[in-house]
Amino acid sequence: MKNQEEAADGKQRIHLRPGSLRGAAPAKLHLLPCDVLVSQPAPVERFFTPAVRRDADGLQVSFRGRGLRGEEVAVPPGFAGFVMVTEEMGEGLIGKLNFSGDAEDKVDEAQQPLERDFDRFIGATGSFSHFTLWGLETVPSADAKVHRALGWPSLAAATFLILGSAQL
């Protein structure tokens, strides 16, 4: 049961299933310029089977009659991408692993109840080192949110080096 402070803050604790990272199969990802208003499994491959064409300006494809332009985007060096899903209460995502991630040390979920009802577990269902970023009619610019987000690791590393050397 939530106490008043937790209920007001809308807190949620996320616990990672580390064993799921090792077993995550390679996934082919497409980041489309649209919003999907539902969060549930869908037969995406029935509706999006890209016949990608390459030309001098990048990648081209059509989705529901609209032209999309795209490019391959790599995950920054030293990082890996994972497709993560949240377990529903009482369900095991990929086996029932303990937090050490050892497959041999399976733990009965009933023996390890959630500490609070706002705790959740996540695990990886896929891994990737690159993905296709699509824009509506034009290739996403270098100023696109995804490109800016992927620039953060190198910015953080440079800031750490600057701050670290300033303290010497």
Tab-separated table of all heavy atoms in Angstrom, residues 41-74:
chain	number	residue	atom	x	y	z
A	41	PRO	N	0.939	-5.049	-27.638
A	41	PRO	CA	1.535	-5.749	-28.779
A	41	PRO	C	0.703	-5.533	-30.042
A	41	PRO	O	-0.529	-5.432	-29.987
A	41	PRO	CB	1.505	-7.216	-28.357
A	41	PRO	CG	1.425	-7.186	-26.874
A	41	PRO	CD	0.648	-5.951	-26.522
A	42	ALA	N	1.391	-5.439	-31.176
A	42	ALA	CA	0.712	-5.252	-32.458
A	42	ALA	C	1.491	-5.983	-33.542
A	42	ALA	O	2.710	-6.071	-33.475
A	42	ALA	CB	0.624	-3.759	-32.783
A	43	PRO	N	0.808	-6.489	-34.556
A	43	PRO	CA	1.486	-7.178	-35.660
A	43	PRO	C	2.090	-6.159	-36.635
A	43	PRO	O	1.639	-6.026	-37.773
A	43	PRO	CB	0.360	-7.998	-36.302
A	43	PRO	CG	-0.877	-7.198	-36.025
A	43	PRO	CD	-0.645	-6.551	-34.679
A	44	VAL	N	3.113	-5.460	-36.187
A	44	VAL	CA	3.705	-4.372	-36.965
A	44	VAL	C	4.173	-4.859	-38.331
A	44	VAL	O	4.000	-4.175	-39.341
A	44	VAL	CB	4.877	-3.727	-36.182
A	44	VAL	CG1	5.580	-2.683	-37.020
A	44	VAL	CG2	4.365	-3.129	-34.895
A	45	GLU	N	4.738	-6.062	-38.382
A	45	GLU	CA	5.262	-6.563	-39.651
A	45	GLU	C	4.174	-6.702	-40.711
A	45	GLU	O	4.470	-6.701	-41.895
A	45	GLU	CB	6.029	-7.870	-39.465
A	45	GLU	CG	5.283	-8.990	-38.779
A	45	GLU	CD	5.242	-8.858	-37.253
A	45	GLU	OE1	6.015	-8.083	-36.665
A	45	GLU	OE2	4.402	-9.528	-36.637
A	46	ARG	N	2.900	-6.790	-40.311
A	46	ARG	CA	1.801	-6.821	-41.289
A	46	ARG	C	1.593	-5.468	-41.944
A	46	ARG	O	1.122	-5.386	-43.062
A	46	ARG	CB	0.498	-7.222	-40.599
A	46	ARG	CG	0.298	-8.703	-40.515
A	46	ARG	CD	-1.078	-9.090	-40.014
A	46	ARG	NE	-2.160	-8.331	-40.605
A	46	ARG	CZ	-3.318	-8.110	-39.994
A	46	ARG	NH1	-3.530	-8.567	-38.779
A	46	ARG	NH2	-4.266	-7.426	-40.588
A	47	PHE	N	1.915	-4.401	-41.233
A	47	PHE	CA	1.628	-3.063	-41.725
A	47	PHE	C	2.859	-2.302	-42.193
A	47	PHE	O	2.749	-1.338	-42.926
A	47	PHE	CB	0.925	-2.249	-40.622
A	47	PHE	CG	-0.323	-2.912	-40.138
A	47	PHE	CD1	-0.361	-3.533	-38.906
A	47	PHE	CD2	-1.459	-2.931	-40.921
A	47	PHE	CE1	-1.509	-4.159	-38.456
A	47	PHE	CE2	-2.619	-3.563	-40.489
A	47	PHE	CZ	-2.642	-4.176	-39.253
A	48	PHE	N	4.028	-2.702	-41.739
A	48	PHE	CA	5.257	-2.003	-42.114
A	48	PHE	C	6.292	-3.020	-42.548
A	48	PHE	O	7.034	-3.545	-41.737
A	48	PHE	CB	5.782	-1.150	-40.946
A	48	PHE	CG	6.938	-0.267	-41.338
A	48	PHE	CD1	6.760	0.797	-42.196
A	48	PHE	CD2	8.204	-0.503	-40.847
A	48	PHE	CE1	7.818	1.614	-42.555
A	48	PHE	CE2	9.268	0.302	-41.199
A	48	PHE	CZ	9.078	1.371	-42.054
A	49	THR	N	6.266	-3.327	-43.818
A	49	THR	CA	7.295	-4.182	-44.414
A	49	THR	C	8.045	-3.293	-45.390
A	49	THR	O	7.649	-3.154	-46.551
A	49	THR	CB	6.681	-5.406	-45.125
A	49	THR	OG1	5.694	-4.950	-46.048
A	49	THR	CG2	6.060	-6.358	-44.140
A	50	PRO	N	9.073	-2.631	-44.908
A	50	PRO	CA	9.720	-1.601	-45.722
A	50	PRO	C	10.437	-2.148	-46.950
A	50	PRO	O	11.209	-3.087	-46.859
A	50	PRO	CB	10.709	-0.962	-44.760
A	50	PRO	CG	10.972	-1.993	-43.724
A	50	PRO	CD	9.725	-2.815	-43.627
A	51	ALA	N	10.100	-1.560	-48.086
A	51	ALA	CA	10.836	-1.791	-49.330
A	51	ALA	C	11.704	-0.543	-49.486
A	51	ALA	O	11.342	0.407	-50.177
A	51	ALA	CB	9.873	-1.969	-50.500
A	52	VAL	N	12.809	-0.541	-48.783
A	52	VAL	CA	13.670	0.636	-48.713
A	52	VAL	C	14.423	0.811	-50.026
A	52	VAL	O	15.009	-0.128	-50.558
A	52	VAL	CB	14.668	0.508	-47.534
A	52	VAL	CG1	15.586	1.698	-47.476
A	52	VAL	CG2	13.908	0.344	-46.228
A	53	ARG	N	14.396	2.037	-50.536
A	53	ARG	CA	15.153	2.401	-51.729
A	53	ARG	C	16.258	3.353	-51.305
A	53	ARG	O	16.043	4.257	-50.506
A	53	ARG	CB	14.240	3.085	-52.746
A	53	ARG	CG	13.101	2.192	-53.220
A	53	ARG	CD	12.121	2.910	-54.133
A	53	ARG	NE	11.509	4.111	-53.595
A	53	ARG	CZ	10.474	4.139	-52.747
A	53	ARG	NH1	9.963	3.013	-52.296
A	53	ARG	NH2	9.959	5.269	-52.327
A	54	ARG	N	17.441	3.141	-51.839
A	54	ARG	CA	18.574	4.030	-51.565
A	54	ARG	C	18.788	4.942	-52.757
A	54	ARG	O	18.761	4.497	-53.892
A	54	ARG	CB	19.842	3.237	-51.307
A	54	ARG	CG	19.791	2.401	-50.058
A	54	ARG	CD	21.123	1.718	-49.785
A	54	ARG	NE	21.010	0.817	-48.657
A	54	ARG	CZ	21.140	1.193	-47.381
A	54	ARG	NH1	21.419	2.434	-47.086
A	54	ARG	NH2	21.015	0.314	-46.416
A	55	ASP	N	19.013	6.222	-52.477
A	55	ASP	CA	19.402	7.154	-53.535
A	55	ASP	C	20.479	8.079	-52.980
A	55	ASP	O	20.943	7.898	-51.851
A	55	ASP	CB	18.202	7.916	-54.092
A	55	ASP	CG	17.519	8.836	-53.089
A	55	ASP	OD1	18.110	9.137	-52.032
A	55	ASP	OD2	16.393	9.269	-53.370
A	56	ALA	N	20.858	9.080	-53.737
A	56	ALA	CA	21.948	9.977	-53.326
A	56	ALA	C	21.613	10.753	-52.048
A	56	ALA	O	22.509	11.146	-51.304
A	56	ALA	CB	22.266	10.951	-54.454
A	57	ASP	N	20.326	10.965	-51.784
A	57	ASP	CA	19.906	11.741	-50.611
A	57	ASP	C	19.631	10.886	-49.383
A	57	ASP	O	19.174	11.385	-48.369
A	57	ASP	CB	18.662	12.564	-50.939
A	57	ASP	CG	18.935	13.601	-52.003
A	57	ASP	OD1	20.082	14.095	-52.060
A	57	ASP	OD2	18.013	13.898	-52.780
A	58	GLY	N	19.834	9.570	-49.465
A	58	GLY	CA	19.583	8.706	-48.322
A	58	GLY	C	18.592	7.621	-48.642
A	58	GLY	O	18.497	7.151	-49.779
A	59	LEU	N	17.823	7.231	-47.648
A	59	LEU	CA	16.859	6.144	-47.781
A	59	LEU	C	15.464	6.694	-48.038
A	59	LEU	O	15.118	7.766	-47.544
A	59	LEU	CB	16.842	5.310	-46.497
A	59	LEU	CG	18.180	4.752	-46.032
A	59	LEU	CD1	18.030	4.089	-44.672
A	59	LEU	CD2	18.727	3.782	-47.048
A	60	GLN	N	14.666	5.953	-48.800
A	60	GLN	CA	13.287	6.332	-49.066
A	60	GLN	C	12.392	5.131	-48.850
A	60	GLN	O	12.771	3.999	-49.160
A	60	GLN	CB	13.099	6.769	-50.520
A	60	GLN	CG	13.648	8.103	-50.866
A	60	GLN	CD	13.263	8.450	-52.302
A	60	GLN	OE1	13.345	7.624	-53.195
A	60	GLN	NE2	12.832	9.673	-52.492
A	61	VAL	N	11.200	5.384	-48.336
A	61	VAL	CA	10.198	4.339	-48.158
A	61	VAL	C	8.838	5.029	-48.101
A	61	VAL	O	8.748	6.240	-47.903
A	61	VAL	CB	10.484	3.510	-46.868
A	61	VAL	CG1	10.134	4.285	-45.620
A	61	VAL	CG2	9.791	2.173	-46.893
A	62	SER	N	7.792	4.249	-48.260
A	62	SER	CA	6.438	4.782	-48.169
A	62	SER	C	5.729	4.061	-47.027
A	62	SER	O	5.848	2.846	-46.882
A	62	SER	CB	5.703	4.528	-49.483
A	62	SER	OG	4.387	4.990	-49.400
A	63	PHE	N	5.014	4.810	-46.194
A	63	PHE	CA	4.256	4.237	-45.084
A	63	PHE	C	2.858	4.810	-45.121
A	63	PHE	O	2.677	6.019	-44.966
A	63	PHE	CB	4.940	4.548	-43.752
A	63	PHE	CG	4.232	3.977	-42.557
A	63	PHE	CD1	4.109	2.609	-42.393
A	63	PHE	CD2	3.684	4.813	-41.602
A	63	PHE	CE1	3.461	2.076	-41.286
A	63	PHE	CE2	3.034	4.295	-40.494
A	63	PHE	CZ	2.919	2.923	-40.346
A	64	ARG	N	1.890	3.955	-45.374
A	64	ARG	CA	0.478	4.356	-45.475
A	64	ARG	C	0.295	5.515	-46.456
A	64	ARG	O	-0.436	6.464	-46.201
A	64	ARG	CB	-0.079	4.703	-44.102
A	64	ARG	CG	-0.029	3.505	-43.149
A	64	ARG	CD	-0.768	3.752	-41.908
A	64	ARG	NE	-2.197	3.814	-42.244
A	64	ARG	CZ	-3.130	4.055	-41.363
A	64	ARG	NH1	-2.813	4.242	-40.112
A	64	ARG	NH2	-4.382	4.113	-41.711
A	65	GLY	N	1.014	5.429	-47.572
A	65	GLY	CA	0.880	6.425	-48.626
A	65	GLY	C	1.717	7.680	-48.446
A	65	GLY	O	1.707	8.558	-49.302
A	66	ARG	N	2.427	7.806	-47.350
A	66	ARG	CA	3.261	8.991	-47.101
A	66	ARG	C	4.715	8.643	-47.374
A	66	ARG	O	5.188	7.579	-47.001
A	66	ARG	CB	3.134	9.450	-45.638
A	66	ARG	CG	1.743	9.818	-45.184
A	66	ARG	CD	1.205	11.103	-45.813
A	66	ARG	NE	2.011	12.273	-45.615
A	66	ARG	CZ	1.821	13.182	-44.657
A	66	ARG	NH1	0.851	13.026	-43.801
A	66	ARG	NH2	2.605	14.226	-44.565
A	67	GLY	N	5.419	9.560	-48.001
A	67	GLY	CA	6.830	9.356	-48.267
A	67	GLY	C	7.676	9.645	-47.035
A	67	GLY	O	7.493	10.660	-46.363
A	68	LEU	N	8.571	8.732	-46.719
A	68	LEU	CA	9.492	8.921	-45.604
A	68	LEU	C	10.911	8.924	-46.155
A	68	LEU	O	11.223	8.194	-47.084
A	68	LEU	CB	9.347	7.799	-44.573
A	68	LEU	CG	7.978	7.583	-43.942
A	68	LEU	CD1	8.020	6.407	-42.979
A	68	LEU	CD2	7.496	8.834	-43.245
A	69	ARG	N	11.761	9.744	-45.563
A	69	ARG	CA	13.181	9.787	-45.910
A	69	ARG	C	13.941	9.430	-44.648
A	69	ARG	O	13.581	9.867	-43.555
A	69	ARG	CB	13.584	11.186	-46.377
A	69	ARG	CG	12.723	11.795	-47.453
A	69	ARG	CD	13.019	11.359	-48.819
A	69	ARG	NE	14.421	11.624	-49.137
A	69	ARG	CZ	14.969	11.259	-50.257
A	69	ARG	NH1	14.283	10.627	-51.151
A	69	ARG	NH2	16.227	11.513	-50.497
A	70	GLY	N	14.997	8.648	-44.792
A	70	GLY	CA	15.668	8.197	-43.589
A	70	GLY	C	17.157	8.029	-43.725
A	70	GLY	O	17.743	8.235	-44.793
A	71	GLU	N	17.740	7.634	-42.601
A	71	GLU	CA	19.170	7.380	-42.533
A	71	GLU	C	19.437	6.352	-41.444
A	71	GLU	O	18.651	6.202	-40.511
A	71	GLU	CB	19.930	8.671	-42.208
A	71	GLU	CG	19.584	9.229	-40.833
A	71	GLU	CD	20.341	10.496	-40.487
A	71	GLU	OE1	21.440	10.700	-41.015
A	71	GLU	OE2	19.812	11.268	-39.683
A	72	GLU	N	20.553	5.647	-41.595
A	72	GLU	CA	20.998	4.713	-40.565
A	72	GLU	C	21.728	5.509	-39.494
A	72	GLU	O	22.578	6.346	-39.815
A	72	GLU	CB	21.942	3.662	-41.146
A	72	GLU	CG	21.251	2.671	-42.062
A	72	GLU	CD	20.303	1.735	-41.331
A	72	GLU	OE1	20.623	1.307	-40.203
A	72	GLU	OE2	19.246	1.435	-41.887
A	73	VAL	N	21.396	5.266	-38.241
A	73	VAL	CA	22.010	5.955	-37.115
A	73	VAL	C	22.671	4.905	-36.222
A	73	VAL	O	22.046	3.910	-35.870
A	73	VAL	CB	20.964	6.753	-36.301
A	73	VAL	CG1	21.591	7.420	-35.099
A	73	VAL	CG2	20.273	7.783	-37.189
A	74	ALA	N	23.935	5.129	-35.893
A	74	ALA	CA	24.677	4.198	-35.045
A	74	ALA	C	24.593	4.619	-33.582
A	74	ALA	O	24.547	5.805	-33.258
A	74	ALA	CB	26.136	4.145	-35.477
